[in-house]
Amino acid sequence: MLDWALVRNKTISIADYAQQFTVADLRQQTRAMVNQMLALLETCQDADVIFVPVDLNAHDTFAANASELEIAWTLGHLIAHVTATAEEAAFIAAELARGVPSRGGRSRVEVPWRTITTVAQCRARLLESLRMRLATLEVWPDQPDLSNVYRIHESFPELNALTRFVFGLKHDDDHLAQIADVVNQARAARQ
C-alpha cells in the first residue's frame, strides 16, 4: 500500500508524489486498496452495514439535505462514498490522459447509500468499482497527455491524469480508518 505520510504532512505535493507511478502501478494500487476494504468486511454481518456508529466529527458538506449534514456514516454510506469518489477520479483521469480538454465540474454518480444494506452489496459495490476503475486505465494511451490538467475546485491545485487518479486512491485511504472504526463499533455493539 502507498505511504501517504509525506503528502499528508505537506513534505511533498500530491502532484509530485503521483509522478512516480506508471499505469501498471495504478492498477496494482487500485487492486490493493479494494482488497484492503474487502478485508475489513470479512468479519461483518449484514446488521453491521446499517449500524449507525458514534462519530463526534460527523459533518458532510455535500449532504443531500440539511437533515443529513451531521449524521454519522454507516458502512453502506462509506462504501457508496469512497467508490463514487474513486470512480470519478478514474474517469476524469482517463479523459485527461487522452487529451480531452477539461470541462470543469464533476463526473460523479453515487449509489444511494441507503440501498446498501448487506455485506454482499458492499462487496459487490467494491468489486464493481474495481472493475470500472481498472477499465478506465485500459483507455489511457501509451503516451498519456500529462500536460492536460483539471482543477476540482479553485482551492485545489491543477491535477493531471496521474495526479487525478492518485487523488482517488488517497481519498480511499483517507476513509480506511473510518471504515475500520465503524466495523469495530458494529462488532462491539453485537457483543
Side-chain angles (χ1 to χ4, degrees):
M1 291 301 296
L2 299 174
D3 181 2
W4 296 103
L6 294 175
V7 174
R8 286 196 176 104
N9 68 25
K10 300 188 185 322
T11 301
I12 188 171
S13 71
I14 193 166
D16 289 339
Y17 185 70
Q19 299 317 305
Q20 68 183 300
F21 299 111
T22 65
V23 173
D25 294 330
L26 297 179
R27 281 188 199 97
Q28 176 192 11
Q29 292 302 322
T30 300
R31 285 186 188 99
M33 180 57 68
V34 171
N35 285 338
Q36 193 166 355
M37 288 187 230
L38 288 167
L40 289 170
L41 296 175
E42 284 181 8
T43 62
C44 290
Q45 297 177 6
D46 287 346
D48 300 344
V49 177
I50 59 171
F51 170 80
V52 180
V54 174
D55 183 353
L56 301 177
N57 298 317
H59 181 77
D60 182 3
T61 323
F62 301 105
N65 57 61
S67 68
E68 294 183 1
L69 192 62
E70 307 292 332
I71 63 170
W73 288 8
T74 65
L75 190 54
H77 195 158
L78 283 162
I79 297 302
H81 174 76
V82 296
T83 55
T85 302
E87 290 160 17
E88 176 181 29
F91 277 88
I92 290 171
E95 286 198 345
L96 292 171
R98 293 173 38 243
V100 176
S102 172
R103 297 180 303 264
R106 307 293 305 264
S107 179
R108 180 185 179 83
V109 175
E110 186 170 312
V111 172
W113 63 269
R114 285 190 170 90
T115 66
I116 301 177
T117 60
T118 68
V119 176
Q121 286 175 305
C122 288
R123 283 189 190 109
R125 176 81 275 270
L126 285 165
L127 292 172
E128 177 181 55
S129 182
L130 174 62
R131 178 181 50 81
M132 289 192 294
R133 290 190 247 177
L134 293 176
T136 67
L137 292 169
E138 293 302 316
V139 301
W140 281 43
D142 293 338
Q143 298 297 317
D145 182 349
L146 298 180
S147 65
N148 192 19
V149 295
Y150 166 85
R151 187 168 284 192
I152 297 170
H153 184 271
E154 62 220 22
S155 65
F156 277 77
E158 291 182 330
L159 308 174
N160 68 14
L162 276 173
T163 309
R164 187 63 184 106
F165 196 98
V166 169
F167 194 88
L169 290 169
K170 180 186 176 298
H171 181 268
D172 281 344
D173 191 76
D174 289 343
H175 285 286
L176 284 177
Q178 186 180 12
I179 292 169
D181 181 52
V182 173
V183 168
N184 290 333
Q185 284 189 47
R187 185 180 309 122
R190 272 193 274 122
Q191 299 171 351

